[in-house]
Amino acid sequence: MLELNNQYTVMKRQVHAEVLKAFFAGTLEQEVDALPIKIIPKARIANRCCIYKERAMVRYRIMALMGINIETEDDELKSLSSYVSEVMEKDKHVAPILTTISTACSSCPPDRYLISEACRGCFARPCLANCPKDCITFSNGQAHIDDARCIRCGKCKEVCPFHAVVHIPVPCEEACPVNAVKKNEEGFVEIDYQKCISCGRCAMSCPFGAIVERSGVMPVVKMLKAEEHVTALIAPAIEGQFPGTLAQIKQALLATGFSSVMEVSQGAETTSLHEAHELNERKSEGKGYMTTSCCPAYMELVDKHLPFLGERRSSALSPMGYAAEEAKKANPQTKTVFIGPCLAKRVEAVKLKTIDGVLTFSELASLFIAKGVDVREMEKADLGKTDSFEDCREFALSGGVASCVLSRYAKADEVSVLPINGIDKKMFRTMKIWDKRQPEADLIEVMCCEGGCINGPGVVVKPSVALKLRGGNKAAAPVKAMRSIVGARE
Amino acid sequence: MGKKERVSVKICVGTACFVQGGADLLLYNEFLDPVVLGGCDIEGVSCLGGCKDPNAKDRPPYVQIGGVIHGDMTQEKLCKLLAEAVHA
Ligand code: SF4
Ligand code: FES
């Protein structure tokens, strides 16, 4: 996976903030066609071939932010402003969540193993001895791989003492756990939406930004601007994504225009109780293992690829589902907006009907910037009574869901837990055989993203930073509290 | 090193800086050289104003080192600037 902090992320956030600023100023339609030029000025040193291509990419990013399906709706003769006015009229269809920009795709060559200059043509030649296909030859004192025969097993890379063997992947194809990302005849990326589980890994992996998510931000900012009653449902992973405490984040949301804020951890409590109850039932009836059901990409995985797991997953709603019900009960007029790290949540939201909008943390960050809201400067909002669900904030981390279920289960020590910490190609293969060979566990916690939701495709900071800032008071003054020990001792 | 002034380092954790890569700078305990770390007083501060300057030549994240504001900060750049400041 591509390191989160990179040129592309920075560009994306800048584009988002500029668009939202213009939206709230009421000038988006007039300004939008000039934005690519404003964002990529003449003097810029281009990262792509030239500034004109960069501007074209900014145009596509803006379209994606509008929720436009670039694959089907791209019309180069159409101005951005006419796209914008369409979107102002009517929200776009949500599915599919991802879309590709074929002109951005660099059509990366098929993945291969290559022996680099670093090869010293040693005497032991472990590459030669370990290649199962005999495709290594030596010439000019160096090893070479016969691409036609190579099966890309990577054995030579493992054994080379000089690290001379490099693997050059196709980032998007490698990232997709279910092989939904393929290249077409011209070599450009294509997504098979029959297979796609909307986990967002490909979009996080492509170094050219050729796979983008169609944002759900416009419907939400339209609600905010119309001053409707909007409830922000904040995912447990939000703590640590912004420089401040949970109470300050809540206040920042109120300052941004949300009418009320509810922690989805509250819904997670109901999910945990439900799952604990169900687990008990299944165990006493000897029905075998049960999986969690809160990860929407996993739900898609089951529906599209592993139907035999349908009866295995818990019937509980996700925390988002329960929280939305609560919010609507408290105020039937309210619009509910889920704010989380997840793209697949939007697929779930469409099915649920109690959710009116979905934002990612990254989009919320741009919204804060556009509105000039500084989380750190916020007073502390009252979080209300949180004792009963405080532990459920751990739903954001791998292992956290299972532990919340178990702490609500009477005979927890009799339960064996198997956490699935991230689904990649290999894990997908493992799960396929569960049909024939049942995993030895009572409760299987499944999270598609490695590490849990704090590593989702919509996060602002990488997990190591988020973990540092999570956990109540410490985050209040994130840096002061962490003042270097070396410095403090002197 | 004798009695040398410690370098005052203010990492901006205003929203604009934080989300544009400033958050990564908070991992300074991990990426700074211990000697450099020992010579600095590092703290997180609110918006330094750089992000709001329409004429700014550089972009968030900003860090103030001994009174001077630097933009487009990265972990590498911070290592370099602080090493220079501490050993100056
Ligand atoms: S990673 Fe995939 S989408 Fe990105 S440039 Fe390479 S082939 Fe195209
Ligand atoms: S947020 Fe850092 S300079 Fe404004």
Side-chain angles (χ1 to χ4, degrees):
Chain A
M1 210 73 55
L2 201 58
E3 158 77 32
L4 182 64
N5 185 11
N6 62 59
Q7 291 295 327
Y8 173 61
T9 317
V10 167
M11 173 60 60
K12 179 165 128 185
R13 298 210 175 122
Q14 191 194 351
V15 172
H16 290 186
E18 294 289 341
V19 170
L20 294 178
K21 262 183 216 163
F23 170 81
F24 285 111
T27 55
L28 184 57
E29 266 175 81
Q30 295 93 287
E31 266 182 63
V32 71
D33 282 289
L35 275 182
I37 298 165
K38 183 175 161 200
I39 291 169
I40 310 288
K42 231 186 247 164
R44 180 185 155 96
I45 299 163
N47 276 12
R48 298 189 198 258
C49 58
C50 61
I51 57 167
Y52 307 105
K53 179 143 187 185
E54 289 199 346
R55 286 176 185 166
M57 289 312 131
V58 172
R59 174 187 154 93
Y60 283 124
R61 278 251 56 113
I62 295 176
M63 286 169 65
L65 188 68
M66 295 294 120
I68 288 159
N69 184 337
I70 296 171
E71 280 163 34
T72 57
E73 294 180 70
D74 179 24
D75 176 356
E76 286 180 283
L77 294 178
K78 193 159 156 180
S79 65
L80 279 174
S81 73
S82 47
Y83 281 114
V84 170
S85 62
E86 275 176 29
V87 171
M88 294 294 186
E89 283 286 304
K90 193 166 169 285
D91 294 338
K92 291 276 168 190
H93 267 296
V94 174
I97 305 289
L98 295 164
T99 187
T100 58
I101 307 174
S102 61
T103 45
C105 177
S106 146
S107 49
C108 304
D111 87 303
R112 66 185 289 218
Y113 282 83
L114 186 75
I115 297 183
S116 70
E117 288 285 299
C119 172
R120 313 218 359 103
C122 62
F123 176 70
R125 301 192 173 171
C127 53
L128 190 74
N130 286 282
C131 173
K133 289 284 162 191
D134 269 338
C135 51
I136 295 193
T137 52
F138 279 79
S139 62
N140 299 329
Q142 284 188 325
H144 302 276
I145 297 175
D146 176 357
D147 276 331
R149 281 159 69 191
C150 170
I151 54 163
R152 294 156 187 56
C153 66
K155 285 270 179 345
C156 52
K157 180 169 189 256
E158 277 164 34
V159 297
C160 175
F162 297 105
H163 307 286
V165 186
V166 285
H167 178 222
I168 310 168
V170 180
C172 55
E173 286 183 359
E174 190 185 46
C176 180
V178 295
N179 294 329
V181 183
K182 276 272 157 334
K183 311 248 239 69
N184 61 19
E185 285 112 60
E186 290 92 55
F188 296 121
V189 62
E190 254 175 30
I191 298 175
D192 179 349
Y193 295 106
Q194 305 293 326
K195 288 187 181 169
C196 173
I197 58 170
S198 302
C199 66
R201 277 167 177 262
C202 56
M204 278 172 101
S205 305
C206 173
F208 291 90
I211 305 177
V212 289
E213 76 260 21
R214 295 170 53 213
S215 169
V217 81
M218 289 314 284
V220 176
V221 290
K222 275 157 64 185
M223 288 174 210
L224 294 179
K225 201 168 181 189
E227 296 185 4
E228 296 184 68
H229 189 284
V230 188
T231 304
L233 303 172
I234 52 173
I238 201 167
E239 205 186 2
Q241 295 293 317
F242 297 97
T245 57
L246 208 46
Q248 285 177 300
I249 294 173
K250 176 171 178 181
Q251 189 61 42
L253 283 160
L254 296 172
T256 307
F258 289 91
S259 324
S260 73
V261 179
M262 183 190 257
E263 280 187 63
V264 170
S265 307
Q266 196 173 327
E269 185 190 5
T270 316
T271 304
S272 309
L273 286 167
H274 186 113
E275 292 193 356
H277 179 78
E278 203 177 345
L279 182 64
N280 187 33
E281 257 178 27
R282 289 196 191 224
K283 254 182 98 69
S284 53
E285 289 165 25
K287 278 191 178 159
Y289 70 99
M290 175 182 102
T291 80
T292 55
S293 61
C294 46
C295 172
Y298 166 60
M299 297 300 263
E300 287 280 289
L301 180 75
V302 172
D303 291 339
K304 292 185 172 169
H305 301 275
L306 304 169
F308 70 91
L309 283 175
E311 54 176 45
R312 290 289 173 183
R313 57 187 170 187
S314 161
S315 63
L317 283 187
S318 73
M320 171 176 88
Y322 288 122
E325 279 179 3
E326 293 266 331
K328 295 271 185 191
K329 216 188 307 158
N331 177 0
Q333 304 313 322
T334 197
K335 292 263 173 92
T336 48
V337 173
F338 175 83
I339 305 177
C342 188
L343 300 186
K345 272 286 179 221
R346 292 182 60 213
V347 179
E348 183 190 342
V350 175
K351 291 183 188 151
L352 276 180
K353 311 234 176 352
T354 45
I355 299 283
D356 302 297
V358 177
L359 283 187
T360 63
F361 295 146
S362 169
E363 288 160 350
L364 179 62
S366 306
L367 193 52
F368 282 157
I369 296 176
K371 283 267 191 170
V373 170
D374 219 328
V375 181
R376 206 181 128 95
E377 300 302 306
M378 293 289 134
E379 299 286 327
K380 290 195 185 97
D382 181 10
L383 291 176
K385 240 180 82 56
T386 60
D387 326 350
S388 69
F389 61 82
E390 234 160 64
D391 66 322
C392 296
R393 292 179 186 150
E394 297 294 298
F395 260 61
L397 311 176
S398 170
V401 177
S403 83
C404 288
V405 174
L406 288 193
S407 66
R408 288 165 179 77
Y409 189 86
K411 294 159 285 179
D413 48 345
E414 291 172 14
V415 179
S416 60
V417 174
L418 173 67
I420 301 299
N421 181 14
I423 298 180
D424 54 11
K425 285 192 197 312
K426 194 158 161 241
M427 184 51 72
F428 177 45
R429 260 182 272 135
T430 307
M431 291 170 86
K432 272 188 191 158
I433 61 163
W434 287 357
D435 196 10
K436 312 226 162 46
R437 221 181 45 213
Q438 294 211 359
E440 282 165 32
D442 303 308
L443 177 63
I444 304 183
E445 179 206 86
V446 189
M447 294 203 183
C448 253
C449 296
E450 195 185 338
C453 309
I454 56 163
N455 194 23
V459 295
V460 174
V461 300
K462 50 188 170 207
S464 55
V465 177
L467 284 174
K468 235 174 195 149
L469 299 180
R470 283 173 72 85
N473 305 333
K474 262 186 281 146
V479 182
K480 280 225 177 87
M482 289 164 24
R483 227 187 96 177
S484 69
I485 307 164
V486 193
R489 221 184 276 135
E490 217 182 28
Chain B
M1 261 197 284
K3 265 262 157 256
K4 210 168 143 245
E5 281 271 320
R6 299 167 65 81
V7 180
S8 142
V9 183
K10 298 181 188 330
I11 299 176
C12 179
V13 283
T15 304
C17 287
F18 185 89
V19 309
Q20 293 287 47
D24 281 5
L25 303 176
L26 299 181
L27 297 173
Y28 58 83
N29 271 332
E30 281 144 47
F31 67 81
L32 278 183
D33 182 276
V35 175
V36 173
L37 201 53
C40 296
D41 274 327
I42 306 182
E43 59 175 333
V45 296
S46 306
C47 178
L48 289 168
C51 65
K52 303 201 169 72
D53 176 1
N55 300 319
K57 290 213 171 48
D58 42 18
R59 303 193 37 79
Y62 290 96
V63 174
Q64 186 175 332
I65 303 171
V68 185
I69 296 182
H70 302 262
D72 292 310
M73 194 54 66
T74 60
Q75 293 189 348
E76 292 67 41
K77 193 166 160 189
L78 192 61
C79 283
K80 193 171 143 268
L81 289 174
L82 291 189
E84 281 168 16
V86 167
H87 298 304

